[in-house]
Amino acid sequence: MSRAFQPLAIPASAGIGLRSPHISEMLTRRPSAGWLEVHAENYMGDGAGVEALEKLREIYPLSVHGVGLSLGSARGLDRDHLERLRKVCERFQPDLVSEHLAWSVADGAYLNDLLPLRYDEEALAIVARNVETVQETLKRQVLIENLSAYVAFADSSMNEAEFLTELVMQTGCGLLLDVNNVQVSAHNLQYDARAFIDALPAGAIGEIHLAGHATNRVGADTVLIDDHGSRVPPVVWALYEHAITCLGPRPTLIEWDTDVPVLDVLLGEAMWADMLTASIMFSRKQAARQAAAAKPRPVSPTPFENVRTSMPVLAAFAAAKAGPVMSNALTPMEGRYDVAA
């Protein structure tokens, strides 16, 4: 049965993916978290998990992330699955709903993976038709996520960024920019990760994902695997910094699906995302003030004129690290986030 929830718009800050080991602790501790995201398929029935999510929905803004619609299926969508997704959205009234640019169903069989598409006009027409069906059924905009890739179709007539841009233009959908997926695909397929982000329509990006990945060595080569099983690595933080510098703040999710750690680790990763975003925006405001200043600079220096302010929050943590209280807590982080800064 659906119920009315107080509107809680998702802020342009960091949230965490809600996983079953953390549900009880989230209910009892109610920690500070910008928002929560759940996989839609985990809440299509009834039970204790659904009841718990209803309680958490009263406290935190919510996003619903689908993994089973198979938007690239040429035979169209599974209408029963789409109806179950509609009921999830009706029940929990999420602020954001998203799915993947992928296919995962063949002849009625669900495959346990998100598989890539050939990027051409024929595939675009199929995906656009399916996205329009989803948006008409849910009566809301849906965000489409870029995929982690390990192979590419030789006969694609466009790249993924061009495909997503065309999809936005044809359907009015939004985009979910998974920065880790960009890094994985760019490394595996040998293209420029920053250029990929720059090519997307910035105004359509309504959410960002951050996660860790695994590195597999194949002879002299390495393949990155999107396993969501570790902290966000420095190379992904650096790419996230580029994205936020270009786009401005966006709702950002910390994803962790394998080897799930204690809750505080996820909350800590979200804290780093918020700190990095705040620092970028602080520097941007400082630069804008300096550029707009019409008056000549005073002859006498102001008290903080020579203080470096490019990463003020991280600088504050570096200073605190020297103290006896913070030194032990910050030691494991040393060197990990300087690359992103």
Side-chain angles (χ1 to χ4, degrees):
M1 180 183 298
S2 62
R3 54 184 290 190
F5 291 100
Q6 179 181 357
L8 297 170
I10 289 182
S13 61
I16 61 172
L18 181 66
R19 301 297 177 257
S20 56
H22 302 144
I23 290 177
S24 177
E25 188 175 0
M26 288 293 298
L27 285 169
T28 55
R29 278 181 55 189
R30 298 189 178 187
S32 177
W35 52 286
L36 303 178
E37 184 165 278
V38 298
H39 288 158
E41 286 74 13
N42 292 336
Y43 295 91
M44 289 181 169
D46 290 302
V50 172
E51 294 175 3
L53 184 60
E54 286 186 330
K55 294 177 182 177
L56 289 171
R57 177 66 182 87
E58 295 176 345
I59 307 167
Y60 301 98
L62 182 68
S63 172
V64 165
H65 188 48
V67 297
L69 271 181
S70 191
L71 294 176
S73 293
R75 294 188 178 181
L77 302 174
D78 181 334
R79 293 296 182 140
D80 291 336
H81 188 88
L82 179 57
E83 176 61 15
R84 289 192 289 269
L85 176 61
R86 187 194 67 78
K87 289 181 178 179
V88 168
C89 293
E90 181 182 37
R91 183 168 197 166
F92 297 106
Q93 301 166 37
D95 295 283
L96 295 175
V97 177
S98 55
E99 248 291 354
H100 298 82
L101 181 63
W103 65 276
S104 56
V105 180
D107 297 327
Y110 277 81
L111 308 174
N112 190 28
D113 209 341
L114 297 167
L115 301 171
L117 305 170
R118 186 179 70 244
Y119 299 128
D120 60 15
E121 293 295 336
E122 181 180 4
L124 179 62
I126 291 169
V127 176
R129 181 176 67 245
N130 289 338
V131 168
E132 287 176 341
T133 298
V134 174
Q135 294 187 143
E136 289 169 1
T137 301
L138 302 184
K139 295 179 173 54
R140 63 163 69 223
Q141 184 190 54
V142 174
L143 307 182
I144 308 302
E145 178 182 344
N146 57 291
L147 196 64
S148 288
Y150 309 97
V151 295
F153 288 88
D155 55 351
S156 289
S157 60
M158 62 183 82
N159 60 42
E160 186 182 19
E162 293 169 336
F163 190 96
L164 287 167
T165 299
E166 286 295 323
L167 186 64
V168 169
M169 292 178 63
Q170 291 189 23
T171 68
C173 70
L175 297 179
L176 192 169
L177 172 61
D178 191 312
V179 174
N180 183 61
N181 288 2
V182 175
Q183 178 61 32
V184 168
S185 299
H187 173 88
N188 292 340
L189 304 183
Q190 295 297 295
Y191 62 77
D192 187 330
R194 295 190 176 200
F196 177 95
I197 293 175
D198 295 343
L200 296 174
I205 298 173
E207 182 181 342
I208 292 176
H209 277 185
L210 294 174
H213 56 254
T215 301
N216 285 9
R217 299 195 179 279
V218 183
D221 298 324
T222 60
V223 177
L224 301 186
I225 305 297
D226 178 32
D227 66 347
H228 296 178
S230 57
R231 293 180 184 273
V232 179
V235 67
V236 175
W237 282 123
L239 194 56
Y240 178 64
E241 179 185 10
H242 174 77
I244 295 300
T245 299
C246 296
L247 304 173
R250 292 289 192 279
T252 298
L253 183 82
I254 302 299
E255 285 190 298
W256 205 313
D257 296 305
T258 60
D259 297 325
V260 178
V262 296
L263 178 59
D264 282 342
V265 172
L266 271 69
L267 296 172
E269 294 288 277
M271 176 196 72
W272 281 111
D274 282 337
M275 288 168 58
L276 182 54
T277 296
S279 186
I280 291 168
M281 300 314 296
F282 179 86
S283 296
R284 178 182 292 183
K285 289 179 180 179
Q286 289 291 89
R289 289 192 188 101
Q290 292 175 4
K295 296 181 180 180
R297 293 177 63 84
V299 176
S300 300
T302 56
F304 300 101
E305 182 175 352
N306 297 319
V307 175
R308 184 169 177 241
T309 58
S310 60
M311 293 295 291
V313 183
L314 296 188
F317 263 67
K321 183 174 180 294
V325 176
M326 296 293 291
S327 59
N328 292 333
L330 293 178
T331 298
M333 297 297 198
E334 186 172 0
R336 285 183 42 79
Y337 300 99
D338 293 341
V339 175

